[in-house]
């Protein structure tokens, strides 16, 4: 056992004395040591219940003959961090989570790991660690929040952000806002739509790293506790059979995940996280492949913010496995892949049933014949940019309008909220990329204000930052190269005509190559926004969004 390095033999007597200090018995030390990586904290609604998940996992490990040992991982609440300096830290924590988990796992010689994440950067951070460490590992998330209900209509966090815009333009009263505030987020769990957290938890199933229901069983259901116990027991089987993350997270498994991503209509943030996880697994995954998969993968689900349904309804309809079964009917999945169940994808999904064809459209009757995400290229985004096309209204799939230029999120929000943006405009927010932000802030405040003010069908937004999974409309992010490194986004001026053509995967500024070259010659880099602390180190090491914003030593 790997843990023999810390508990077996004469040389390890000092180590064992420290285990005695922790209260471990001789019998416990003879068993495999299982690291239980708990992301519990008291600031993230999706993590406030993880103490209960952790206890259930530990029971499962013990029942199956292992010794569970909990250690923590950090997590930021993207909703609370939104719209201020806090959002600069969100994406950057993905690497802190991966690095610190690597440190803890290798420093203490664990034989296996059970990862307990839930929210946005916590899931990919722990998946990166799992791929990097390559010791038997299984995931069990904390589960999604139930949707809120106001006047008989289901609501969620995105409803709250859009309500701010509605109040600003007189469409909602302060009293209505307060009622929505009290009811939109009624339980613990990751926010209830197909936002980034739920996207990544569902894709963990598709990758093969989580058990059935990992992404969809609501946080408050007892099924979630039972699933946690099953995950605790299953890690012992993975150790016995020596099934490791890189046996599971193969190139074919990442293609499966991207395919399921297209069918579910996941958050655009998955286009950052899947390449980053793949990088740690030794798999090359570039953005270009997304369009190839999108062209042949139907979009089967319209979950909030793309539609009125929520994760709880996806769960009732059969969950991720039911979606995968529909995709398999079109031969779109690699079904021979091994998973943490110890079985192949084919074995996992053979009995899956689509129980609600309105929530999970049959493959023969999709919402669209193309997938939920598109990557656009052109002279404004030579390395690509990303849009959640399943959440774009038909009239904005193609659009041309004048650029309205803002060099930070706050200035754009002020302009939108004070009626300075007109129908047909293209709002451009730059210097918010991985290096320029730094940290590539989410732009939920401006996108939701646009939607809340009724401009979602006439105004586009383009940024080298990124979007919350709760964003909808013609919200085009991850523009690369970013403005801070002299990307074309830095060269455009107020009033330049921008042409968006999502069906043809194109994003252009209507300027000649000669004009862009002239502007480039006169462009001066901006001083770094941050010059101290962790974000300064992050800024120096982070790469392009087109590569998943991974860290490299330059």
């Amino acid at each position: 056992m790997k843990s023999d390095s810390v508990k077996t033999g004469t040389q390890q007597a000092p180590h064992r004395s420290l285990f005695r200090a922790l209260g471990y018995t001789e019998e416990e030390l003879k068993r495999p040591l299982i690291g239980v990586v708990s992301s519990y904290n008291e600031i993230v609604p999706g993590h406030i219940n993880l103490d209960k998940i952790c206890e259930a996992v530990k029971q499962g490990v013990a029942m199956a003959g292992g010794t569970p040992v909990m250690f923590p991982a950090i997590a930021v609440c993207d909703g609370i961090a939104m719209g201020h300096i806090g959002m600069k830290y969100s994406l950057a924590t993905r690497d802190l989570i991966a690095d610190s988990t690597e440190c803890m796992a290798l420093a203490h010689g664990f034989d296996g790991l059970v990862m307990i994440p839930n929210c946005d950067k916590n899931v990919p951070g722990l998946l990166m660690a799992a791929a990097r460490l390559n010791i038997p590992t299984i995931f069990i998330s904390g589960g999604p929040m139930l949707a809120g209900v106001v006047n008989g209509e289901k609501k969620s966090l995105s409803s709250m952000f859009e309500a701010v815009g509605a109040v600003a333009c007189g469409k909602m009263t302060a009293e209505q806002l307060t009622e929505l505030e009290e009811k939109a987020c009624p339980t613990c769990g990751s926010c209830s739509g197909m936002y980034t957290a739920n996207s990544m938890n569902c894709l963990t199933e598709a990758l093969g790293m989580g058990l059935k229901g990992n992404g969809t069983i609501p946080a408050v259901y007892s099924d979630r506790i039972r699933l946690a116990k099953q995950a605790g027991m299953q890690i012992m089987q993975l150790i016995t059979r020596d099934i490791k993350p890189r046996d599971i997270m193969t190139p074919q498994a990442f293609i499966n995940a991207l395919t399921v991503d297209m069918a579910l209509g996941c958050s655009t943030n998955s286009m950052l996280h899947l390449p980053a996880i793949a990088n740690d697994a030794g798999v090359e995954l570039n953005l270009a492949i997304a369009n190839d998969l999108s062209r042949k993968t139907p979009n089967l689900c319209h979950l909030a913010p793309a539609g009125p349904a929520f994760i709880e309804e996806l769960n009732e309809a059969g969950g991720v496995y039911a979606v995968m079964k529909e995709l398999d009917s079109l031969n779109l999945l690699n079904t021979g892949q091994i998973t943490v169940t110890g079985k192949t994808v084919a074995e996992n999904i053979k009995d899956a049933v689509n129980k609600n064809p309105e929530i999970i459209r049959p493959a023969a009757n999709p919402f669209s014949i193309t997938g939920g995400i598109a990557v656009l290229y052109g002279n404004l985004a030579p390395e690509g940019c990303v849009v959640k096309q399943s959440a774009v209204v038909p009239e904005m799939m193609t659009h041309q309008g004048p650029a309205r230029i803002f060099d930070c999120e706050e200035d754009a929000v002020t302009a939108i909220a004070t009626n300075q943006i007109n129908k047909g405009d293209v709002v451009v927010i730059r210097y918010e990329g991985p290096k320029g932000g730094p940290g590539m802030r989410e732009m939920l405040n401006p996108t939701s204000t646009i939607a809340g003010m009724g401009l979602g069908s006439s105004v586009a937004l383009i940024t080298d930052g990124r979007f919350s999974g709760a964003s909808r409309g013609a919200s085009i992010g991850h523009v690369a190269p970013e403005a801070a490194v002299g990307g074309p986004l830095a060269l455009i001026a107020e009033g330049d005509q921008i042409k968006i053509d999502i069906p043809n995967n194109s994003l252009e500024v209507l300027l000649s190559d000669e004009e862009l070259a002239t502007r480039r010659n006169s462009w001066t880099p901006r001083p770094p926004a941050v010059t101290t602390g962790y974000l300064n180190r992050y800024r120096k090491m982070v790469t392009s969004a087109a590569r998943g914003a991974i860290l490299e030593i330059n």
Side-chain angles (χ1 to χ4, degrees):
M1 288 189 293
K2 191 177 182 67
S3 60
D4 286 346
S5 63
V6 298
K7 61 184 178 63
T8 302
T10 302
Q11 291 296 319
Q12 281 66 42
H15 306 65
R16 288 194 299 275
S17 70
L18 294 171
F19 278 103
R20 307 292 190 198
L22 291 164
Y24 288 103
T25 65
E26 189 74 26
E27 290 77 13
E28 286 174 303
L29 294 181
K30 289 178 180 177
R31 298 173 176 178
L33 289 184
I34 308 302
V36 180
V37 188
S38 174
S39 304
Y40 169 77
N41 65 40
E42 295 182 344
I43 192 62
V44 185
H47 290 226
I48 191 68
N49 65 318
L50 296 191
D51 55 340
K52 297 177 178 62
I53 301 296
C54 182
E55 286 305 312
V57 165
K58 289 166 68 177
Q59 289 178 44
V61 170
M63 285 190 290
T67 297
V69 184
M70 187 280 289
F71 65 86
I74 66 167
V76 163
C77 178
D78 276 26
I80 295 174
M82 195 72 65
H84 58 94
I85 191 174
M87 184 47 68
K88 293 179 182 288
Y89 285 89
S90 174
L91 179 61
T93 64
R94 186 183 70 181
D95 298 275
L96 280 176
I97 292 161
D99 292 350
S100 59
T101 302
E102 173 193 347
C103 293
M104 289 294 289
L106 293 181
H108 301 103
F110 290 110
D111 297 298
L113 297 169
V114 182
M115 305 290 201
I116 309 176
N118 210 24
C119 289
D120 294 40
K121 310 310 167 295
N122 194 246
V123 183
L126 290 179
L127 281 165
M128 289 164 65
R132 192 183 302 173
L133 290 162
N134 202 35
I135 61 176
T137 303
I138 192 169
F139 277 67
I140 167 65
S141 79
M145 183 184 292
L146 294 178
V149 179
V150 179
N151 297 325
E153 293 186 5
K154 288 190 174 181
K155 301 291 182 180
S156 65
L157 182 65
S158 59
S159 308
M160 282 306 312
F161 279 93
E162 292 183 12
V164 174
V167 170
C169 68
K171 293 184 176 181
M172 178 180 284
T173 66
E175 291 75 19
Q176 290 172 320
L177 180 67
T178 298
E179 182 183 12
L180 185 60
E181 175 187 328
E182 292 172 348
K183 296 179 179 179
C185 299
T187 70
C188 63
S190 48
C191 296
S192 55
M194 188 52 81
Y195 311 144
T196 305
N198 292 325
S199 294
M200 293 309 302
N201 283 322
C202 287
L203 295 183
T204 300
E205 281 190 62
L207 268 175
M209 290 298 293
L211 299 176
K212 178 184 179 183
N214 178 72
T216 60
I217 296 172
V220 294
Y221 283 13
S222 297
D223 279 354
R224 176 64 55 180
I225 299 297
R226 289 195 290 270
L227 190 69
K229 292 177 182 176
Q230 290 166 4
M233 290 186 281
Q234 186 60 24
I235 189 60
M236 302 307 296
Q237 288 296 316
L238 295 176
I239 291 171
T240 298
R241 295 180 58 183
D242 195 30
I243 297 174
K244 298 187 287 292
R246 291 195 187 187
D247 300 322
I248 296 168
M249 289 193 280
T250 63
Q252 294 78 15
F254 281 100
I255 297 301
N256 283 348
L258 269 173
T259 301
V260 173
D261 188 329
M262 295 298 170
L264 285 173
C266 290
S267 164
T268 52
N269 281 309
S270 64
M271 295 294 102
L272 286 173
H273 299 324
L274 288 175
I277 299 160
N279 178 70
D280 272 311
V283 174
E284 184 178 350
L285 192 67
N286 60 58
L287 287 182
I289 197 173
N291 287 337
D292 294 335
L293 290 175
S294 183
R295 276 188 281 270
K296 61 183 180 181
T297 305
N299 177 228
L300 304 181
C301 299
H302 265 194
L303 302 166
F310 295 85
I311 301 297
E312 63 201 70
E313 290 159 289
L314 176 62
N315 185 64
E316 293 162 6
V320 175
Y321 279 15
V323 174
M324 295 176 74
K325 186 70 174 289
E326 294 288 354
L327 293 173
D328 188 44
S329 72
L330 300 175
N331 296 314
L332 293 176
L333 296 179
N334 300 287
T335 58
Q337 298 299 297
I338 195 68
T339 71
V340 291
T341 66
K343 300 176 182 178
T344 63
V345 170
E347 292 172 307
N348 287 343
I349 68 174
K350 66 182 179 67
D351 296 323
V353 177
N354 182 353
K355 300 176 183 178
N356 188 338
E358 292 302 313
I359 301 299
I360 303 172
R361 287 283 185 90
N365 181 36
F367 283 102
S368 68
I369 60 173
T370 55
I373 288 177
V375 179
L376 314 184
Y377 295 92
N379 68 352
L380 199 50
E383 293 178 5
C385 57
V386 180
V387 62
K388 186 173 182 175
Q389 61 182 350
S390 61
V392 179
V393 295
E395 55 266 39
M396 290 299 289
M397 292 295 283
T398 59
H399 180 76
Q400 181 175 322
R404 304 296 306 279
I405 307 297
F406 303 94
D407 287 347
C408 67
E409 176 192 4
E410 288 83 356
D411 289 351
V413 170
T414 298
I416 297 164
T418 55
N419 298 306
Q420 297 178 47
I421 301 302
N422 304 310
K423 290 183 177 181
D425 285 349
V426 178
V427 175
V428 174
I429 306 177
R430 60 192 182 186
Y431 296 102
E432 290 283 9
K435 288 183 179 294
M440 205 178 179
R441 288 197 289 181
E442 288 185 348
M443 301 290 140
L444 181 55
N445 272 341
T447 58
S448 56
T449 305
I450 287 170
M453 296 183 74
L455 296 173
S457 61
S458 61
V459 171
L461 193 151
I462 298 172
T463 182
D464 53 8
R466 58 195 178 88
F467 293 108
S468 164
S471 293
R472 61 187 176 100
S475 303
I476 300 169
H478 308 196
V479 173
E482 61 175 291
V485 300
L489 208 64
L491 310 179
I492 61 176
E494 188 83 5
D496 285 346
Q497 287 289 309
I498 293 178
K499 185 177 180 181
I500 300 164
D501 188 346
I502 296 172
N504 288 303
N505 303 107
S506 175
L507 178 67
E508 299 275 345
V509 57
L510 301 185
L511 298 172
S512 67
D513 292 344
E514 292 77 14
E515 175 62 21
L516 285 171
T518 298
R519 293 187 186 186
R520 181 175 301 283
N521 289 335
S522 61
W523 177 75
T524 302
R526 287 161 55 101
V530 176
T531 58
T532 60
Y534 173 63
L535 281 181
N536 186 46
R537 298 196 300 275
Y538 181 86
R539 172 183 64 82
K540 293 177 179 179
M541 296 175 67
V542 71
T543 62
S544 169
R547 298 181 57 201
I550 62 173
L551 300 188
E552 284 185 345
I553 298 174
N554 298 320

